[in-house]
Amino acid sequence: MGNTSGSTVDDLQAVEMHLWYKKFMTECPSGQLTLHEFKQFFGLRGLDPEANAYIEQMFRTFDMNKDGYIDFMEYVAALSLVMRGKMEHKLRWYFKLYDVDGNGCIDRHELLNIIKAIRAINGNESQDTTAEDFTNRVFDRIDINGDGELSLEEFVAGARSDEDFMEVMMKSLDLSHIVAMIHNRRRSV
């Protein structure tokens, strides 16, 4: 007899994985996504310098083996984390993404540039505060030891306790338009 609900979930995941693979191979027949293709893949054109730097950092974070390409497994791992990952794993990944210089801490300048980039990519829809004010508020709230840098621990704890900061992070990797594109392709195939 067996577990029919488990096989249904597995079948759904297999179908979804197949769609992701078809999308990936359609957009990237070589099986390796370059930075330029990554920007095209996600419809990111004409970005300002901060947004461009953020997208390049996102690419480097997705490129887990640091070979300058995102292969299908790296693509699936990234999408899976962003779409289904546990909050703890997402927060650790966001930290790695935001820690541009890789020194294990996020300073004000790094966070400010990320906030500006997110706003540029998502559109500057009537923000109540400037990116500078938002960055200062985040540091005032979650930089527990006051050293001007956010450690991984401060970042995770702060994100969990500051709804505004958490919302900005969630917007920074909103891939709903990618999921919609994959589903639309499924209907047209």
Side-chain angles (χ1 to χ4, degrees), residues 73-186:
M73 292 309 293
E74 290 168 326
Y75 167 76
V76 168
L79 279 180
S80 181
L81 172 70
V82 170
M83 293 169 52
R84 293 200 178 101
K86 293 181 179 177
M87 187 53 65
E88 180 74 20
H89 294 145
K90 286 183 182 183
L91 290 173
R92 289 177 178 277
W93 190 85
Y94 284 120
F95 182 86
K96 184 178 174 184
L97 176 63
Y98 292 7
D99 180 17
V100 176
D101 63 11
N103 70 349
C105 294
I106 300 169
D107 62 36
R108 283 180 192 271
H109 183 71
E110 286 172 318
L111 185 60
L112 176 60
N113 285 339
I114 294 291
I115 300 303
K116 286 179 177 179
I118 293 166
R119 288 181 175 188
I121 292 167
N122 292 336
N124 239 350
E125 68 269 347
S126 64
Q127 300 293 329
D128 292 338
T129 61
T130 66
E132 291 81 1
D133 288 343
F134 184 82
T135 300
N136 289 335
R137 192 171 53 98
V138 167
F139 269 83
D140 290 346
R141 289 183 181 180
I142 69 176
D143 182 16
I144 303 302
N145 64 5
D147 66 353
E149 296 182 323
L150 301 177
S151 66
L152 175 62
E153 295 75 23
E154 287 172 321
F155 181 85
V156 170
R160 288 181 182 273
S161 65
D162 189 317
E163 288 180 27
D164 293 336
F165 184 50
M166 182 68 86
E167 181 182 336
V168 167
M169 284 192 303
M170 292 301 127
K171 282 183 181 177
S172 73
L173 275 178
D174 178 12
L175 298 181
S176 57
H177 65 289
I178 302 302
V179 174
M181 191 172 16
I182 291 168
H183 286 290
N184 289 340
R185 287 260 168 95
R186 178 184 348 171

Side-chain angles (χ1 to χ4, degrees), residues 32-48:
Q32 294 185 315
L33 200 58
T34 65
L35 175 59
H36 177 73
E37 291 166 328
F38 180 76
K39 290 177 184 178
Q40 287 184 319
F41 191 76
F42 289 103
L44 302 168
R45 295 177 186 89
L47 301 173
D48 67 19

